[in-house]
Amino acid sequence: MKKIISAIALMVILFAGCKNKAEEHGHEHGLEPLAYTLYSDKSEVFVEFKPLIVGSTSKFAAHFTILGENFLPLSEGSVTLNLIVDGKGIRQTTDAPSVPGIYRLSLNPTTAGMGKLVFDIKTKNFTDQITIDSVKVYADENTALAEQPEDAGSSDITYLKEQAWKVEFANAPVKKQPFSDILKTSGLILSAPGDEMIVVAKAGGIVRFSGSKAIIGSEVSAGTNLFTIASGDFAEGNIDAAYKEAKANYEKTKTDYERASELVKDKIVSEKDFQDAKLKYENAQTGYNALSKNYSSNGFSISSPMNGFVKNIFVSEGQFVEAGTPLAAISKNKKLILQANVSQKYFNRLASITSANFKTTDSDKFVSTADLNGKVISYGKSASANSPFIPITFEIDNIGNIIPGSVAEVYLKSFPIPDALVIPVSSLIEEQGSFFVYVQTEGESFQKREVKMGASDGINVQVLSGVAEGERVVTKGAYQIKLSQASGTMPAHGHEH
């Protein structure tokens, strides 16, 4: 009988033990991880960890992204995690990520209460600090479970850091800023006045190119020899004959002038004859110097009038030209003209235009006239009979990749729009005539929002509805999120759950 009672008691004890273990196991899975996403000027941290409990080790999976052009993962450097409660702190340092971007840390809190978590980042290129305020440390697990909020569920799109780090990705906060009403039109890039000169033939004859400098695109200095014009056996307009004649006339008039200079002292020749001899000599000297300056046995040399590059050549090797024929165009290419054409119905808005964004047909990148020291130099006051458009002209610096003669797509900035909500054009995704953006709600959670747009300057666009100030909109990688959502596949990742 005693054996039967002992067996029953043992079964009760074992059952109770199993029940306690099951409850403990259930508690562990009942604690849902906390997630935080914070930004500094240099970094983004997305971290997940279980609620902090005194005497229990909490593991952290901290994802660090370097803010920049493509939001790359932090692949080197140390991260120190500090927990501070009531002025007392504990910390752990990890000298390198377990994989690029992900640092694994752990803390075992010793003091319950409201505290803060501080991430100190040190790399060879920068240091940074990101703080999570108001993080509670619970005295025991039951208290943590009792205060854990109910899971409300979420329809957000999941796009992992491991995915974002492999593509061109970036996000930016929606900001209120000054914007402008926009007039979209077309235009033309031209060389600025005084920035280009035409080299002309100073005598008639056959054109010979002088070395490699007489090639389109070649850099030249003032005085660089470009062409030689030779007369060959031409009976008329022969440079050689003209040079010899000018030289002979110069030498004869020089002799006559020197002789008259001596004779006038003794009044053998009159003052009038002396002045005539002097005038003939000076005229002959001017003509001879003009020819001899650029003349050689090979012909008459034509040189560049300024520093720049050879923009165009108008003649061919061996071609006969007459004096005054254009041979080449030399351009400094430092200043350019952007000439945009505006419809007559917008004439009253021309005076309010101060800048523009534009891109040429051979480029996908918009540039601003303001970034090129641009200024409006004129706009038309009337339309001509040949065109219904009125021109407005900007002078801009040439940064080296804008080609004169290019056709441009132009967004003229007109009346100001104060406190406009603005996002980059690159944020937009078009679907059947509607436009959408992806808003990052957490480090790896996104919402697809339809937006209503206002004015666009080619670089940024005004948003009238769909997003709020301060929300972070994906500016690069929106299509990758869309494709990932459509495929429904995600790479495995090592978050702490």
Side-chain angles (χ1 to χ4, degrees):
M1 184 67 178
K2 290 181 179 179
K3 290 183 179 179
I4 294 174
I5 294 173
S6 298
I8 294 173
L10 180 61
M11 290 177 65
V12 171
I13 293 171
L14 290 173
F15 177 77
C18 290
K19 183 179 180 182
N20 289 336
K21 288 182 179 179
E23 287 177 353
E24 290 175 4
H25 184 73
H27 288 176
E28 178 65 18
H29 284 277
L31 285 172
E32 292 298 325
L34 304 174
Y36 292 87
T37 306
L38 296 102
Y39 293 85
S40 70
D41 293 337
K42 304 172 185 176
S43 313
E44 175 204 73
V45 60
F46 166 62
V47 61
E48 287 185 331
F49 58 94
K50 291 290 181 65
L52 302 177
I53 301 171
V54 173
S56 177
T57 299
S58 292
K59 296 180 179 180
F60 294 74
H63 302 64
F64 291 93
T65 303
I66 302 171
L67 301 187
E69 186 175 350
N70 289 322
F71 279 46
L72 298 176
L74 183 66
S75 57
E76 61 86 22
S78 67
V79 172
T80 299
L81 173 59
N82 306 272
L83 172 61
I84 304 169
V85 181
D86 293 335
K88 300 177 181 179
I90 58 174
R91 68 174 57 186
Q92 186 200 8
T93 298
T94 299
D95 292 328
S98 56
V99 296
I102 301 179
Y103 285 74
R104 298 193 179 278
L105 303 118
S106 61
L107 292 175
N108 192 328
T110 58
T111 305
M114 193 63 70
K116 63 181 180 180
L117 289 168
V118 181
F119 293 91
D120 286 311
I121 307 165
K122 292 183 179 180
T123 74
K124 63 181 181 181
N125 296 321
F126 70 93
T127 60
D128 199 6
Q129 186 178 87
I130 299 178
T131 301
I132 305 176
D133 293 312
S134 302
V135 177
K136 189 169 184 178
V137 180
Y138 296 95
D140 53 63
E141 185 176 344
N142 289 331
T143 305
L145 280 169
E147 296 187 12
Q148 184 164 272
E150 293 184 5
D151 185 7
S154 173
S155 60
D156 286 3
I157 301 162
T158 298
Y159 190 71
L160 305 183
K161 289 298 179 186
E162 291 91 327
Q163 293 173 287
W165 289 334
K166 293 179 181 179
V167 299
E168 287 191 0
F169 180 89
N171 64 55
V174 180
K175 296 181 179 179
K176 283 187 176 181
Q177 62 187 60
F179 204 59
S180 299
D181 197 9
I182 300 296
L183 296 177
K184 183 180 178 181
T185 184
S186 62
L188 191 65
I189 305 295
L190 305 169
S191 295
D195 197 69
E196 184 174 307
M197 294 186 69
I198 302 298
V199 178
V200 300
K202 297 179 181 179
I206 298 173
V207 176
R208 303 294 182 193
F209 288 18
S210 300
S212 60
K213 291 298 183 181
I215 298 175
I216 293 177
S218 297
E219 291 188 8
V220 294
S221 302
T224 300
N225 191 23
L226 300 176
F227 307 97
T228 299
I229 298 179
S231 296
D233 298 327
F234 292 121
E236 296 183 1
N238 192 298
I239 298 175
D240 294 332
Y243 171 76
K244 292 176 181 178
E245 181 180 351
K247 182 179 180 181
N249 187 41
Y250 164 69
E251 291 176 346
K252 178 180 182 302
T253 55
K254 180 181 179 181
T255 300
D256 292 343
Y257 169 66
E258 291 173 347
R259 176 172 170 274
S261 297
E262 295 298 324
L263 294 177
V264 74
K265 296 176 183 178
D266 299 328
K267 300 189 181 300
I268 297 175
V269 297
S270 66
E271 184 68 25
K272 180 179 178 301
D273 291 338
F274 168 70
Q275 293 296 334
D276 287 343
K278 180 180 179 182
L279 180 61
K280 290 178 181 179
Y281 164 66
E282 290 175 347
N283 289 339
Q285 184 182 43
T286 300
Y288 172 68
N289 288 342
L291 285 173
S292 63
K293 181 180 179 180
N294 298 299
Y295 179 81
S296 68
S297 59
N298 296 322
F300 195 83
S301 297
I302 306 295
S303 59
S304 171
M306 65 180 185
N307 298 334
F309 75 97
V310 180
K311 177 184 175 182
N312 208 346
I313 294 178
F314 306 117
V315 294
S316 303
E317 181 92 13
Q319 179 180 335
F320 175 78
V321 297
E322 298 179 350
T325 301
L327 304 177
I330 308 298
S331 176
K332 295 178 182 177
N333 211 28
K334 292 183 178 180
K335 293 287 185 180
L336 294 172
I337 292 296
L338 170 62
Q339 182 173 293
N341 297 312
V342 181
S343 174
Q344 295 181 34
K345 65 180 181 180
Y346 298 121
F347 174 76
N348 64 332
R349 297 171 63 176
L350 290 180
S352 68
I353 294 172
T354 57
S355 63
N357 293 340
F358 71 95
K359 74 177 183 70
T360 56
T361 53
D362 60 347
S363 174
D364 294 327
K365 184 178 180 181
F366 277 90
V367 292
S368 171
T369 57
D371 295 336
L372 302 177
N373 295 320
K375 60 181 179 180
V376 177
I377 56 176
S378 68
Y379 62 88
K381 304 301 188 293
S382 62
S384 66
N386 299 325
S387 174
F389 298 103
I390 301 173
I392 180 169
T393 305
F394 297 84
E395 183 183 71
I396 57 175
D397 291 342
N398 188 359
I399 57 177
N401 57 356
I402 304 175
I403 303 173
S406 300
V407 176
E409 181 180 343
V410 185
Y411 292 79
L412 299 169
K413 297 183 180 182
S414 182
F415 299 111
I417 303 174
D419 294 331
L421 281 179
V422 175
I423 62 173
V425 171
S426 60
S427 303
L428 300 173
I429 292 179
E430 183 179 4
E431 294 181 3
Q432 298 180 345
S434 298
F435 289 90
F436 298 84
V437 298
Y438 284 97
V439 176
Q440 182 170 330
T441 55
E442 289 291 347
E444 295 180 333
S445 299
F446 298 82
Q447 292 179 358
K448 184 179 179 182
R449 306 259 192 92
E450 184 176 359
V451 293
K452 183 178 180 182
M453 299 186 303
S456 172
D457 64 6
I459 299 175
N460 295 308
V461 60
Q462 179 190 14
V463 179
L464 303 178
S465 65
V467 294
E469 183 180 10
E471 292 187 309
R472 298 192 76 94
V473 170
V474 175
T475 58
K476 285 185 179 181
Y479 273 102
Q480 280 73 19
I481 297 177
K482 179 182 178 181
L483 293 174
S484 175
Q485 181 187 11
S487 67
T489 59
M490 291 189 300
H493 69 83
H495 296 181
E496 296 298 336
H497 289 296

